[in-house]
Amino acid sequence: DSLKALKEKEKELSAPEPKPEPTTEVLFLCSYEGCRKTFIDAGALRKHSHIHGERQFVCHYEGCVKVLKASKLKRHFLIHTGERDFVCPHEGCGK
């Protein structure tokens, strides 16, 4: 009996495992040039797309090293033209 039981158990262990069913999950691919990221839902892709958003611009005034978004650049120029000549009230700051 024990030999018969061992042989049956051995057959059960050697039985092929069932293959997993293929997934029908839709992946969303970022269409930005050079970006090959994929996302499982449209919301995640939309959130990711913000990193490819507005380009960065460098202030062209001499000595200024600011890098800004286009929407902030115009306001930043006011500092250089004197229209926004705010000075830090703390002694020795100079900004």
Side-chain angles (χ1 to χ4, degrees):
D1 268 344
S2 60
L3 185 59
K4 191 176 183 181
L6 283 173
K7 285 185 179 184
E8 284 181 27
K9 197 172 193 177
E10 193 175 299
K11 285 181 183 178
E12 288 175 10
L13 292 175
S14 65
E17 291 184 24
K19 292 182 182 178
E21 292 185 29
T23 59
T24 57
E25 192 174 288
V26 176
L27 293 177
F28 295 86
L29 176 67
C30 179
S31 60
Y32 191 80
E33 186 178 334
C35 184
R36 304 183 57 79
K37 291 191 176 187
T38 57
F39 301 90
I40 58 171
D41 61 29
L45 174 60
R46 194 176 314 110
K47 186 176 180 181
H48 164 79
S49 69
H50 292 292
I51 69 161
H52 299 301
E54 214 172 341
R55 288 182 30 216
Q56 301 280 311
F57 295 90
V58 178
C59 179
H60 64 269
Y61 280 89
E62 188 176 328
C64 186
V65 292
K66 290 274 189 176
V67 178
L68 308 144
K69 293 181 178 181
S71 61
K72 308 281 184 196
L73 193 61
K74 185 177 179 182
R75 191 172 94 200
H76 170 75
F77 285 154
L78 297 177
I79 295 168
H80 296 296
T81 60
E83 293 177 50
R84 245 182 117 194
D85 55 352
F86 303 112
V87 178
C88 180
H90 295 284
E91 189 176 325
C93 179
K95 288 187 177 185

